[in-house]
Amino acid sequence: MLKRTACPGSRERSPGPRVAPAVRRFFHAGAALAGLAFLVSPAHGQDDPDLARLVWAAADAPEKDFRRSLGAVERHPGATWRKVHDVLAAGRTYDPAVGPEPPVLDPARHSAHFEDFPWEKGKVRVYDLGADYAYWYSFTLPEGYDGKSRVPVYLDLSWLSLGRMGAEPLPGWTYATVHPLLAGGEAGTRLGGERITFTGGVAGQSSVLSIVADFEKRFFVDRDRTFVGGYSRFGNSAWYLGFHWPDRWAGIVPGSGFYQVRQSSLGNVEHLHVLAARGTDAQHEGANRYSADMARLLREKGCTLVTEFQCEGSCMNAELDRAARDWMKDRVREPLPRKVSYSLYDPHHSGAYWIEIVRVLDPGPTQTIVIQAADGKAAERIRYNDRPARAAAEDLGENRIRLELENVAEVRLLLSPARFDVEKTIVLWIGDERIERTPRPSIETLLANFRRDRDDRRLFPAEIRYRP
């Protein structure tokens, strides 16, 4: 059973050309651990290959080498933030001739890798996976992939293995799977000493965001058609990632998942496609009921694209596989919405799209939400600020922005040339107050933002900070 509700004013586009009629799989039997590596050449479509080479070197440089690589870009004759922007927007070219790497099967080796990782405890951030990405995830590519066409992606957090439950994978798509050990297997339970949980956990979120960013290094990813899904406790994770990182996805596929979200945060997924999937099995009775209730709440909010799916028994089956396949193929994210808002409770987060809450005025006391396991014991605890902070921004055109803030001490607006003339004055309207700010676009700001997100639709060469 499918129900679909469209947000007024929402936009969809055609999914673009397909690459090939079949998908080649590189999943190791029973473990889904193998991946591909690619040789990367300078960005195509550029008239200065030397600049392109320097730009990608700076984008990929380890943290300790970034300043040196940045300097090489800035010293290149004629280098400007606009030319660097065009290099990043065009993307790389990819040589898909390199075959699959050996699968990672040793749990102890897997854990040792995490122990040595440069982990920042308590901070959600994107890490460079480098040559060790196979410790984190595996993926497929379309048959005959030539590295020239953008490829949409479905990322399976675990268990909801679309394309392997009875329906053929979407032609021309990449299917990625989080490493089973990372997802809570016998060894991959901690990162830097912190337990990996995908609902609320800092380590789990950092892992997922790092994987999504890493796609850009391996193949010509279409970030406007990148989806994430999971079943049961990974359905919890899909809900969580949607509400807290909505700009990273075209849509989410939570199967029989639960995540207790506050009413004030429903607007966070205003521009996000949601396939709320549920079954009728007793084991997931509460989560199935939650999926139906959340779909209803989102419809009442009137600002989100939401589709309901229900089947008999467990929803992890071929019926959902086919429904999700058909649902994903025609959906696309709106990269830079003209109007965005973000309600913040979790202190690990900041914002979405082109608005970030840098500091909260008064977070209030901490509250805890408990997610229980099937045996009734507490499986995960998520801590929240008692008082929400909210920021909303609307592009009024002609370099004018309307800004609304609640309980915010400082906000940052990330400016893209797709929306603003970043070399001219920006006018902020806060209530009846008119404030002018002059952004300072730079190669450094542009590259630093790209290194974090690895997203060709989030190219921000300038920013504005405002303190009420």
Side-chain angles (χ1 to χ4, degrees), residues 174-313:
T174 285
Y175 284 72
T177 301
V178 173
H179 196 301
L181 297 180
L182 181 69
E186 53 190 302
T189 58
R190 293 187 178 274
L191 177 60
E194 187 165 328
R195 182 177 176 228
I196 296 176
T197 60
F198 284 4
T199 309
V202 171
Q205 292 176 77
S206 295
S207 301
V208 173
L209 296 180
S210 299
I211 288 170
V212 175
D214 194 68
F215 291 159
E216 180 271 329
K217 288 189 172 183
R218 314 298 166 187
F219 53 91
F220 203 6
V221 61
D222 187 345
R223 287 291 297 271
D224 288 343
R225 289 187 292 159
T226 297
F227 297 79
V228 65
Y231 175 70
S232 193
R233 70 185 179 94
F234 297 102
N236 303 350
S237 308
W239 281 118
Y240 189 92
L241 291 167
F243 277 107
H244 291 290
W245 307 100
D247 51 331
R248 301 303 200 263
W249 326 104
I252 60 172
V253 187
S256 295
F258 168 85
Y259 161 62
Q260 185 175 334
V261 63
R262 301 190 182 188
Q263 286 272 352
S264 60
S265 296
L266 296 180
N268 287 7
V269 295
E270 179 178 4
H271 304 287
L272 182 69
H273 295 279
V274 177
L275 177 59
R278 67 184 189 274
T280 58
D281 57 321
Q283 182 180 1
H284 294 89
E285 180 181 0
N288 289 328
R289 184 171 58 251
Y290 171 86
S291 293
D293 290 343
M294 179 53 66
R296 174 181 54 80
L297 287 173
L298 293 176
R299 284 197 298 270
E300 291 175 356
K301 185 72 175 178
C303 61
T304 302
L305 296 168
V306 54
T307 302
E308 292 184 67
F309 171 83
Q310 183 180 17
C311 64
E312 291 297 320

Side-chain angles (χ1 to χ4, degrees), residues 367-381:
Q367 293 190 2
T368 303
I369 293 176
V370 177
I371 296 181
Q372 294 181 331
D375 59 6
K377 296 181 180 179
E380 299 180 50
R381 298 179 184 272

Side-chain angles (χ1 to χ4, degrees), residues 301-359:
K301 185 72 175 178
C303 61
T304 302
L305 296 168
V306 54
T307 302
E308 292 184 67
F309 171 83
Q310 183 180 17
C311 64
E312 291 297 320
S314 167
C315 76
M316 188 174 64
N317 56 27
E319 188 179 354
L320 173 58
D321 201 344
R322 288 189 292 269
R325 164 196 166 106
D326 293 341
W327 178 83
M328 287 193 301
K329 68 182 181 181
D330 294 326
R331 281 167 174 76
V332 63
R333 73 170 176 169
E334 183 179 354
L336 293 174
R338 184 173 296 277
K339 185 176 183 180
V340 296
S341 65
Y342 194 85
S343 181
L344 173 67
Y345 284 97
D346 191 327
H348 295 130
H349 303 137
S350 58
Y353 299 103
W354 49 282
I355 188 168
E356 292 186 2
I357 298 172
V358 179
R359 288 187 297 117

Side-chain angles (χ1 to χ4, degrees), residues 10 48 110 258 389 430:
S10 64
D48 191 341
H110 192 274
F258 168 85
I430 300 97

Side-chain angles (χ1 to χ4, degrees), residues 377-397:
K377 296 181 180 179
E380 299 180 50
R381 298 179 184 272
I382 305 172
R383 300 190 182 278
Y384 285 106
N385 296 336
D386 183 59
R387 298 189 179 96
R390 178 181 174 273
E394 181 179 5
D395 171 18
L396 302 176

